[in-house]
């Protein structure tokens, strides 16, 4: 069975873990405070989950989900993720992260920054424009009318394909934005951000997105 390494156990990381375990995945989850602080969550998740350090979670995962505050992205372990697909949920909240001129000026993307930090990994955008609580409640079977859609972006087709498969298992359609250089279209304060939309509506909102906000 596939193991997902989850680096970050906040709202999104915890919800991804809950749904993944429900679907039969094994989960190794970490946070910045140490595995001992995750015992309540791991007890809730059951025998298919365990707590670990970030490096251990990265090493254990067949692929990883990075869901840490953007300001901490350089703390993500590099070596254990080499050669692996990494799903990045990051959003830029300058109020929390401090000002990052390259993002303010439209010269970079949040997932692009993580890709630069993880040069031997294959980063894909995912789960960044949905409220955490909706990850476990809004999914519906494939073919459902008006099924909710989520976006992904990656420089690696195999990474975007993995996100597409995972989204479908979680109950969502996928719109592929293209390379990470286009992933700004689904970042904070754009029309597609944390809005319930089907695939056609998501494509329209992505097309309307301004480069800077």
């Amino acid at each position: 069975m596939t193991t997902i390494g989850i680096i970050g156990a906040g709202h999104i990381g915890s919800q991804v873990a809950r749904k993944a375990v429900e679907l039969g995945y094994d989960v190794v989850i970490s946070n910045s405070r140490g595995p001992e602080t995750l015992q309540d969550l791991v007890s809730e998740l059951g025998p298919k989950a365990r707590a670990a350090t970030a490096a251990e979670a990265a090493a254990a995962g067949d692929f990883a989900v990075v869901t840490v505050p953007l300001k901490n992205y350089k703390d993500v372990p590099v070596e254990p993720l080499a050669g692996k697909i990494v799903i990045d949920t990051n959003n830029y909240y300058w109020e929390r992260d401090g000002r990052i001129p390259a993002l303010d000026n439209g010269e970079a993307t949040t997932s692009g920054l993580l890709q630069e930090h993880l040069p031997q990994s294959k980063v894909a955008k995912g789960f960044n424009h949905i409220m955490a609580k909706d990850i476990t409640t809004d999914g519906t079977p494939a073919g459902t009318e008006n099924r909710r859609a989520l976006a992904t972006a990656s420089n690696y087709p195999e990474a975007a394909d993995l996100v597409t498969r995972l989204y479908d298992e979680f109950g969502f359609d996928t719109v592929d934005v293209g390379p990470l250089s286009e992933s700004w279209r689904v970042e904070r304060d754009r029309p597609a951000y944390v809005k319930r939309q089907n695939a056609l509506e998501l494509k329209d909102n992505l097309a309307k997105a301004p480069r800077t906000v």
Side-chain angles (χ1 to χ4, degrees):
M1 176 53 66
T2 301
T3 297
I4 306 177
I6 301 180
I7 300 171
H11 296 303
I12 293 176
S14 297
Q15 286 292 82
V16 169
R18 290 182 177 102
K19 189 64 178 180
V21 165
E22 178 187 319
L23 291 168
Y25 287 94
D26 292 318
V27 167
V28 181
I29 191 165
S30 66
N31 65 6
S32 61
R33 294 179 294 137
E36 67 279 0
T37 66
L38 294 172
Q39 290 312 306
D40 287 347
L41 175 61
V42 169
S43 295
E44 175 201 331
L45 293 172
K48 296 191 75 63
R50 66 181 176 90
T53 66
E56 290 166 345
D62 295 296
F63 66 92
V65 178
V66 169
T67 178
V68 300
L70 182 62
K71 64 181 179 179
N72 298 331
Y73 80 92
K74 290 186 178 179
D75 295 335
V76 174
V78 176
E79 271 310 307
L81 293 172
K84 296 184 180 182
I85 293 171
V86 176
I87 301 173
D88 172 46
T89 78
N90 269 329
N91 288 302
Y92 173 38
Y93 292 102
W94 58 263
E95 304 92 335
R96 173 197 66 193
D97 302 317
R99 285 290 186 182
I100 302 174
L103 296 177
D104 292 334
N105 298 333
E107 299 165 356
T109 66
T110 55
S111 293
L113 293 176
L114 185 64
Q115 181 68 81
E116 290 177 10
H117 175 65
L118 301 173
Q120 294 178 285
S121 302
K122 300 174 182 179
V123 173
K125 196 75 176 174
F127 294 108
N128 79 297
H129 66 114
I130 179 173
M131 296 292 290
K133 63 181 178 60
D134 295 342
I135 291 172
T136 56
T137 59
D138 265 21
T140 54
T144 300
E145 185 178 359
N146 205 37
R147 192 189 199 200
R148 186 168 182 170
L150 299 174
T152 191
S154 181
N155 298 340
Y156 300 92
E158 60 270 38
D161 288 347
L162 185 146
V163 175
T164 299
R165 292 195 302 272
L166 193 65
Y167 277 170
D168 187 54
E169 290 176 332
F170 275 48
F172 304 101
D173 285 341
T174 303
V175 174
D176 189 337
V177 182
L180 291 181
S181 59
E182 291 294 305
S183 61
W184 57 266
R185 294 182 180 277
V186 74
E187 290 180 352
R188 177 192 176 186
D189 294 334
R190 272 74 172 189
Y193 191 65
V194 293
K195 179 179 181 181
R196 196 205 182 284
Q197 55 216 307
N198 62 31
L200 287 176
E201 292 166 337
L202 177 52
K203 289 177 183 178
D204 183 55
N205 284 329
L206 292 167
K208 292 189 296 189
R211 183 61 184 92
T212 57
V213 293

